[in-house]
Amino acid sequence: MLLYISSMIVGVAALVSINSFGDNLRQAIDAQAETLLGADLSFEGRTPFSDVIEAVIDSLGGEQSRRTSFASMAYFPATGDVRLSTIRGHEPGFPYYGEIETDPPEAGRSYITGRNALVDGTLMHQFNVSVGDSVRIGTVMYRVAGRLIQTPRETAAVMLFSPRIYVPLAELDKSLLQRGSRAEYEVYFRFRDGRDADAIVDELKPLLRAHNVRTDTVKEEKEGWDRSLSNLYRFLSLVGFMALILGSLGVASSIHVYIRQRIQTVAILRCFGAKAWSTFHIYLFQAIGMGLVGVTIGSALGFGIQALIPIVLGDFLPVDVAFSVSWSAIWLGAGIGMGVTILFALLPLLSVKDVSPLIAFRSELETDTHRPRSLFWWLINGIIALGIILFAVIQAPQPVVGVFYALGLFVVFGVLWIVARSMIILLRRHTPRNFPYVWRQGIANLYRPNNQTLIMTLALGLGTFLIATMLLAQQSLLKQISLVTDGDRPNLVFFDIQPDQVDGISRTLAEYDMPLIDSVPIVSMRITALNGETIESMRADSTRRLTWAHSREYRSTYRHGLTDSEELIEGVIVEAVSTNHEGLIPITVESDVAETLDLAVGDSVEFNVQGIAVRTEISGIRTVDWQRMQANFFFVFPSGVLEEAPQFNVVLTRASSEKIAAEVQSSVVQHFPNVSSIDISLVMNVFDAIFRRIAFVIQFMALFSIIAGLLVLSAAVFISRFQRMEESVLLKTLGASRSQILRIMLVEYSTLGLLAASTGLVLAIGAGWGLANFVFEVDFVLPVQYLLYLVLAELTLTIVVGFVNSRGVYERQPLEVLRSEV
Amino acid sequence: MSSVLSVKNLTKTFPSGDRTITVLDNVSFDLSAGDTCAIVGPSGSGKTTLLGLSAGLDNPTSGSVMLCGYAIDSLSEDERAAVRSEHVGFIFQTFRLIPTLTALENVMVPAELRGRSHVGDEAREMLASVGLADRTHHYPAQLSGGEQQRVGIARAFINRPDILFADEPTGNLDADTGSSIEDLLFKLNATAGTALVIVTHNPSLARRANRILKLRRGAIELDELQQAASHVSQSA
């Protein structure tokens, strides 16, 4: 019953650890809610606050601390390296709650006075920067005062997208905040008088919205995190759910084997007058007793694993999660574990009830498995299905989600089962008869009586499926990113270039023999009215639902015609208008945003182009291939309108190597400190780093499944130990050498590993293809080499676990085993 | 006639707590090619131990066994396996077929272990010779006890062994089936010239052998040579 207990241990341990961690996380979020925001209230805008808002800020009083953030190139003179980073200029005060964790610790407080910077750890590691080195942002040089570890409102994972650099707001190079540059202006409040920040927000909402100012309070921030974390929790619950179901399948499987081995005993008991239900109860109580042992060990183990989860998920969490005992999680895990175990044990136990006393005399009756299913059989199956749904509902954040979990699980296991079973049948029926004997015997061993091949294939296959799907999705996306810059396409973009800097950038590119593939002017604007109806009036109308497309800031361009990533699907393109054009300006709109804004050809759109109203008419609708590495736009104006508006340029070029890309970026940053750049290798690196962290989490999940599979394998090999000894001895008696017997075992375990890996791979290829085509909309890539590594790893694990559990099988003397029957 | 099995002063003891149990005590006998020998005696008299030691399945405490020209007690495990593969066949009371292989595949096993390939036709012939031509693709669980033992016999003879060891070959079969199995064994002995060593409790089977070794407490109590016309007895 080792298999039975170990299956339960894995399932219960997963459940207890995940539920306990969930409880700890919720407690941590509640306890540290204020540090999530770092203040009681914040205002955020994309432009400097208007006079009206400044007056509001002034009237609110309390303690205030401002922050301005924008993207800019950070230049490290010691190495000459540059990297696009998020620069945050802080005033003293923030954060009012929690603290900026740094190394050395005092830097989080001291950096705010003087030209000091706190630099993200990843960036420091990447460029080998030490505390005391310099970093230049714009024209200002800062001393690196410390390494950023954790700060309110930012997780380590977010920092991967764009590394953070904190500097004092007073020491910021203000030229980097010229009109047209993307920046975020924030003010943080702390009210020591206990004012209700949410009430303030409710009161000011209409005014703030009208001025495009967003707000955040501790409650809103907490709700936001609760939403994100419920997704995380949903994901973790799924892990627990699958681990327990795998464990339960192990339970059903081991009870089946246990009962098959005791049929003779049951038959003898029946001969001596034991009632059918009495024998059933004997074994049910045994199963419950062993279940209790499994639940106890599983809960203890789960308690230990719980401490590991924050290590795995730490980068995605906003708070430090303290480790504490969650008795409710332990009781819930143990209760659900016990319940599911009994349910899954009932089905194989039912056969005890049907054991005929005749079997004591004629053991061949044992093989009669073609009896019609009894009412109890159907009843227990129904209870199992209901039990799984109930369990899923308890485990999921919402009941509906739980039902979907259960349905999803039935589908995943159903498909895995079909694939695994088909492969097993295929192998059995189509193993070539001219294969060498050792091969045929090894493969045939997978079908020995009471074998666990299917359950092992399922459990190991599920682990492979998870890991391989992740790998396939990652590779397809990476391939896509590298594809978009193949050939002569741009792979390096400079942006935030002022119009008078374009020539200088061109010259710098020419020095490095790099082409100026495109130079695109960009003008920031917001929509103020659609077909004569203002966004403000739409906002005031509670029956209207505004989308991101109504309120966002648009970066538009002006040019003649279409680029090669665009296609006109409706209307016409007006290439240019005269500078004294009267009436509506004909513009084109991207098809998706047209749909969101409900715009058609002929509709009018009014923009606020940095203070000036520009009235336009949709003359055409375009589709855009957004996957191309080039400047694409929602709205495109004809030439002759925006030339005089405040603007910046984007320049696209192509570097022949990463080294040249780094050199040219460094040179541009030194000559034009306000210009930022991004190259494809950076995108790839960021993407790769993020994927690696997500993959780590998924692998952790897959680990449960693989451990369950290997446990089933260990136990199955252990259970069939005597059978294996008999086989080994028989073969020795018939003249088999040690090497032949070991080779038979090798074939058996490698076939099992291959079966499991193939089952997982078949599904993963399907899922990866689906993800690539329907979710990411990229070409599906089959990274054969990586998949081979995965198969090899699984194969090795299976073989090692198989052999470890089979040790000593060969050493038995033939006569010992022969005598066991005499 | 050349000797296929020569057992000299064979003794086997087992430790049991502070005591030593002697299972076989100074047993000697010789068998020539084509001989048939029944080993009889009460339970615990050392029959199976004698069979196992004679076939090289275990090492004696003292004495020697010469099997088909090899001093097997001086060979390694793999070398003994090679001798068995080349010269010896086995039949077991509980048939001991491999449950995951068909009847045909079971018969092929010893030949394939010996490295012979394309033995399918030969195995089919063997199955036909034991009356199972139509059961080649059945698994052991789909065969009756008698049929399983026939497969066991076909398997034992596939390598044309010089000597065959049978441990209670009819012990698990009814009288009629047992009798037909006996016929088959002796027929194959006659046609293939294979020496037979049969451990049995069945007096009628023992009587069909031309030599009976009766064991008692690990020693040969009676070594009886039987001939068609006369019985010659000699004490051990």
Side-chain angles (χ1 to χ4, degrees):
Chain A
M1 292 310 278
L2 186 71
L3 170 59
Y4 172 67
I5 291 178
S6 45
S7 302
M8 281 199 62
I9 290 172
V10 173
V12 173
L15 203 62
V16 167
S17 60
I18 285 162
N19 284 345
S20 293
F21 172 73
D23 284 355
N24 285 179
L25 182 59
R26 267 192 292 264
Q27 283 164 9
I29 294 273
D30 286 342
Q32 301 171 50
E34 286 164 330
T35 67
L36 294 173
L37 181 61
D40 293 321
L41 171 68
S42 77
F43 287 177
E44 298 152 32
R46 288 280 178 198
T47 54
F49 297 122
S50 64
D51 293 343
V52 176
I53 299 299
E54 284 293 351
V56 170
I57 293 170
D58 193 39
S59 69
L60 281 173
E63 287 171 64
Q64 297 181 8
S65 176
R66 305 231 176 191
R67 170 159 102 168
T68 304
S69 309
F70 55 90
S72 182
M73 299 307 280
Y75 171 65
F76 297 93
T79 55
D81 289 310
V82 287
R83 167 82 196 252
L84 182 65
S85 309
T86 297
I87 314 300
R88 297 201 189 282
H90 285 108
E91 277 185 347
F94 179 83
Y96 292 114
Y97 304 106
E99 58 179 347
I100 300 174
E101 270 182 55
T102 54
D103 176 28
E106 63 278 9
R109 289 181 295 276
S110 63
Y111 86 102
I112 205 76
T113 51
R115 287 196 166 173
N116 298 309
L118 300 176
V119 180
D120 174 37
T122 321
L123 200 56
M124 289 183 70
H125 179 72
Q126 185 185 359
F127 295 141
N128 206 15
V129 177
S130 312
V131 171
D133 286 355
S134 300
V135 57
R136 202 183 75 192
I137 294 149
T139 55
V140 179
M141 192 73 83
Y142 302 87
R143 176 185 164 273
V144 176
R147 181 170 64 89
L148 270 177
I149 298 172
Q150 193 170 16
T151 67
R153 307 204 80 182
E154 290 180 318
T155 62
V158 169
M159 290 201 204
L160 281 177
F161 285 98
S162 176
R164 269 44 174 171
I165 297 181
Y166 286 13
V167 295
L169 185 60
E171 302 293 342
L172 213 55
D173 177 358
K174 300 291 189 300
S175 68
L176 297 173
L177 296 167
Q178 294 169 48
R179 289 172 77 84
S181 303
R182 289 181 74 102
E184 189 180 53
Y185 299 85
E186 294 161 286
V187 56
Y188 289 90
F189 298 89
R190 175 160 71 170
F191 303 119
R192 286 190 187 273
D193 52 11
R195 265 181 287 169
D196 181 356
D198 294 295
I200 295 172
V201 167
D202 286 346
E203 191 187 323
L204 295 173
K205 199 170 264 175
L207 179 69
L208 295 170
R209 270 197 180 169
H211 287 81
N212 292 313
V213 171
R214 296 187 309 279
T215 59
D216 211 351
T217 63
V218 172
K219 189 178 156 209
E220 284 172 357
E221 186 79 0
K222 186 172 167 293
E223 282 169 358
W225 273 111
D226 279 346
R227 271 194 300 277
S228 318
L229 291 176
S230 76
N231 284 334
L232 177 74
Y233 190 65
R234 209 169 282 168
F235 167 78
L236 289 176
S237 304
L238 197 62
V239 181
F241 188 59
M242 290 215 279
L244 192 67
I245 296 297
L246 275 175
S248 306
L249 287 176
V251 165
S253 182
S254 54
I255 296 269
H256 174 76
V257 173
Y258 183 72
I259 293 303
R260 301 294 322 156
Q261 290 169 344
R262 273 150 190 81
I263 292 266
Q264 281 289 333
T265 315
V266 175
I268 293 166
L269 286 173
R270 295 290 310 278
C271 283
F272 287 108
K275 288 181 185 156
W277 282 109
S278 309
T279 48
F280 172 81
H281 284 135
I282 291 170
Y283 289 99
L284 179 63
F285 286 134
Q286 269 191 18
I288 292 173
M290 280 184 282
L292 282 171
V293 175
V295 160
T296 311
I297 301 174
S299 300
L301 190 67
F303 185 61
I305 295 173
Q306 176 199 346
L308 290 177
I309 299 180
I311 299 169
V312 179
L313 295 174
D315 285 352
F316 298 90
L317 303 176
V319 290
D320 291 328
V321 181
F323 179 76
S324 67
V325 182
S326 168
W327 288 108
S328 62
I330 290 177
W331 285 120
L332 183 72
I336 292 178
M338 201 64 221
V340 171
T341 303
I342 292 174
L343 273 182
F344 274 82
L346 279 178
L347 202 59
L349 278 178
L350 210 58
S351 61
V352 170
K353 195 180 66 64
D354 298 328
V355 169
S356 160
L358 264 183
I359 289 173
F361 300 96
R362 298 190 62 189
S363 61
E364 60 268 26
L365 282 175
E366 266 187 53
T367 52
D368 178 18
T369 52
H370 301 291
R371 236 172 278 169
R373 303 292 190 196
S374 69
L375 182 66
F376 282 108
W377 189 88
W378 288 107
L379 190 70
I380 288 175
N381 270 297
I383 295 173
I384 287 176
L386 278 176
I388 290 177
I389 293 170
L390 182 72
F391 166 55
V393 168
I394 294 173
Q395 190 66 7
Q398 289 140 22
V400 182
V401 177
V403 173
F404 276 104
Y405 270 5
L407 288 179
L409 195 91
F410 286 131
V411 170
V412 167
F413 274 103
V415 175
L416 264 176
W417 187 86
I418 290 169
V419 174
R421 186 123 187 94
S422 312
M423 286 202 171
I424 290 169
I425 291 173
L426 208 72
L427 195 65
R428 177 160 201 175
R429 292 203 181 143
H430 298 285
T431 302
R433 291 197 186 279
N434 55 1
F435 258 34
Y437 163 72
V438 164
W439 281 83
R440 281 187 287 112
Q441 181 66 63
I443 293 170
N445 279 355
L446 292 171
Y447 316 110
R448 62 162 63 82
N450 298 329
N451 70 73
Q452 304 289 305
T453 305
L454 186 63
I455 177 83
M456 284 187 278
T457 310
L458 270 182
L460 291 171
L462 184 67
T464 318
F465 163 69
L466 291 171
I467 294 174
T469 306
M470 196 65 204
L471 184 74
L472 289 170
Q474 180 188 20
Q475 292 299 315
S476 295
L477 284 169
L478 279 174
K479 180 75 181 170
Q480 179 67 20
I481 294 175
S482 64
L483 268 182
V484 296
T485 56
D486 269 2
D488 294 331
R489 292 179 183 160
N491 61 6
L492 179 57
V493 182
F494 290 98
F495 54 99
D496 284 347
I497 305 168
Q498 297 303 309
D500 59 359
Q501 294 175 321
V502 173
D503 287 345
I505 299 275
S506 307
R507 278 196 298 277
T508 307
L509 294 183
E511 281 169 26
Y512 286 90
D513 206 17
M514 287 167 63
L516 191 152
I517 296 173
D518 205 358
S519 171
V520 186
I522 292 175
V523 179
S524 300
M525 57 188 68
R526 283 180 185 277
I527 297 174
T528 48
L530 292 168
N531 288 322
E533 190 180 2
T534 64
I535 298 291
E536 219 164 298
S537 64
M538 287 185 203
R539 204 171 268 150
D541 181 355
S542 58
T543 61
R544 299 288 293 269
R545 230 182 118 245
L546 295 194
T547 65
W548 60 273
H550 291 86
S551 52
R552 66 166 284 151
E553 186 178 58
Y554 286 94
R555 273 132 213 283
S556 303
T557 193
Y558 51 91
R559 60 166 134 85
H560 289 66
L562 296 169
T563 64
D564 58 1
S565 66
E566 296 174 324
E567 190 187 340
L568 188 73
I569 54 169
E570 221 183 315
V572 294
I573 291 177
V574 178
E575 298 190 337
V577 293
S578 63
T579 44
N580 54 0
H581 177 81
E582 287 184 6
L584 302 177
I585 292 156
I587 61 168
T588 59
V589 60
E590 189 266 342
S591 57
D592 287 341
V593 87
E595 198 181 321
T596 313
L597 292 171
D598 199 18
L599 287 174
V601 172
D603 285 349
S604 71
V605 183
E606 188 180 299
F607 289 96
N608 174 347
V609 182
Q610 295 169 57
I612 296 166
V614 177
R615 298 177 63 216
T616 67
E617 180 185 33
I618 305 296
S619 71
I621 297 177
R622 295 166 289 121
T623 55
V624 173
D625 179 1
W626 293 99
Q627 288 174 3
R628 296 278 186 90
M629 175 104 167
Q630 64 184 63
N632 289 311
F633 299 92
F634 288 122
F635 292 102
V636 174
F637 283 64
S639 301
V641 184
L642 298 174
E643 278 77 353
E644 298 307 318
Q647 57 191 270
F648 64 89
N649 280 61
V650 167
V651 163
L652 291 98
T653 182
R654 178 170 185 82
S656 54
S657 69
E658 271 187 44
K659 185 169 170 281
I660 291 180
E663 282 175 18
V664 78
Q665 287 179 85
S666 178
S667 172
V668 166
V669 165
Q670 289 180 63
H671 292 103
F672 310 100
N674 62 301
V675 173
S676 298
S677 59
I678 190 158
D679 71 357
I680 194 68
S681 62
L682 181 71
V683 177
M684 297 272 278
N685 290 342
V686 168
F687 180 83
D688 199 38
I690 291 165
F691 236 106
R692 223 175 290 154
R693 299 209 177 189
I694 298 173
F696 182 50
V697 179
I698 300 270
Q699 279 158 7
F700 187 72
M701 175 173 168
L703 197 69
F704 274 108
S705 176
I706 290 189
I707 288 176
L710 292 178
L711 268 175
V712 175
L713 171 66
S714 308
V717 174
F718 196 79
I719 284 169
S720 56
R721 200 175 164 75
F722 187 73
Q723 213 174 338
R724 281 163 198 274
M725 271 180 201
E726 278 189 313
E727 281 167 13
S728 155
V729 159
L730 174 64
L731 291 173
K732 267 161 93 172
T733 308
L734 296 179
S737 64
R738 181 188 180 89
S739 125
Q740 280 171 317
I741 290 172
L742 292 181
R743 274 186 287 145
I744 288 171
M745 283 192 223
L746 182 67
V747 170
E748 180 182 347
Y749 299 133
S750 29
T751 311
L752 182 66
L754 274 178
L755 255 180
S758 317
T759 301
L761 277 188
V762 166
L763 265 187
I765 289 171
W769 181 86
L771 280 175
N773 280 289
F774 303 116
V775 179
F776 303 127
E777 296 186 356
V778 297
D779 289 336
F780 175 56
V781 173
L782 202 61
V784 179
Q785 192 187 353
Y786 289 117
L787 294 180
L788 274 179
Y789 291 152
L790 185 66
V791 171
L792 270 179
E794 182 151 356
L795 205 58
T796 313
L797 262 180
T798 319
I799 292 170
V800 168
V801 171
F803 269 100
V804 165
N805 286 284
S806 304
R807 65 193 183 281
V809 164
Y810 178 81
E811 274 66 33
R812 293 291 295 269
Q813 283 295 326
L815 201 55
E816 273 181 66
V817 179
L818 284 182
R819 292 178 65 84
S820 66
E821 68 180 12
V822 206
Chain B
M1 291 278 244
S2 60
S3 166
V4 287
L5 178 65
S6 176
V7 174
K8 293 270 183 283
N9 307 322
L10 209 56
T11 298
K12 181 74 179 175
T13 58
F14 291 105
S16 173
D18 298 337
R19 295 188 309 135
T20 299
I21 298 173
T22 302
V23 183
L24 278 182
D25 186 10
N26 207 26
V27 173
S28 301
F29 67 94
D30 285 285
L31 281 184
S32 299
D35 277 355
T36 56
C37 170
I39 303 174
V40 299
S43 296
S45 58
K47 302 187 295 296
T48 303
T49 305
L50 178 59
L51 180 137
L53 291 175
S54 305
L57 300 180
D58 198 0
N59 286 320
T61 309
S62 64
S64 65
V65 176
M66 196 71 141
L67 180 64
C68 300
Y70 296 93
I72 52 170
D73 41 299
S74 63
L75 300 180
S76 69
E77 184 62 46
D78 268 2
E79 287 167 333
R80 278 190 278 166
V83 171
R84 288 196 294 271
S85 173
E86 190 83 16
H87 301 283
V88 181
F90 284 94
I91 292 174
F92 308 94
Q93 180 177 1
T94 48
F95 325 133
R96 291 196 179 268
L97 300 180
I98 297 173
T100 51
L101 300 182
T102 61
L104 181 70
E105 288 168 332
N106 264 290
V107 175
M108 288 159 66
V109 167
E112 292 188 301
L113 283 174
R114 201 166 146 183
R116 292 167 61 197
S117 50
H118 310 296
V119 288
D121 288 342
E122 201 180 328
R124 261 183 218 95
E125 277 172 33
M126 287 305 304
L127 277 173
S129 71
V130 296
L132 292 176
D134 56 342
R135 311 288 267 173
T136 51
H137 294 301
H138 286 67
Y139 286 91
Q142 297 166 313
L143 300 172
S144 69
E147 286 172 327
Q148 288 189 52
Q149 195 58 298
R150 283 162 190 263
V151 176
I153 292 172
R155 178 177 69 181
F157 279 94
I158 183 93
N159 275 346
R160 314 271 168 208
D162 296 320
I163 184 165
L164 186 136
F165 293 94
D167 185 17
E168 294 275 9
T170 58
N172 271 13
L173 302 172
D174 61 69
D176 284 349
T177 314
S179 167
S180 74
I181 292 293
E182 286 169 19
D183 290 344
L184 207 55
L185 269 177
F186 283 95
K187 187 177 139 199
L188 287 167
N189 157 255
T191 53
T194 303
L196 291 182
V197 180
I198 304 168
V199 166
T200 185
H201 282 290
N202 179 345
S204 72
L205 171 59
R207 274 197 299 276
R208 294 181 69 168
N210 54 22
R211 182 171 184 181
I212 296 175
L213 291 176
K214 189 172 180 189
L215 294 185
R216 179 172 291 276
R217 295 198 187 98
I220 294 178
E221 186 184 58
L222 185 73
D223 184 350
E224 187 179 19
L225 283 176
Q226 304 181 110
Q227 287 175 348
S230 61
H231 288 186
V232 181
S233 295
Q234 55 189 64
S235 52

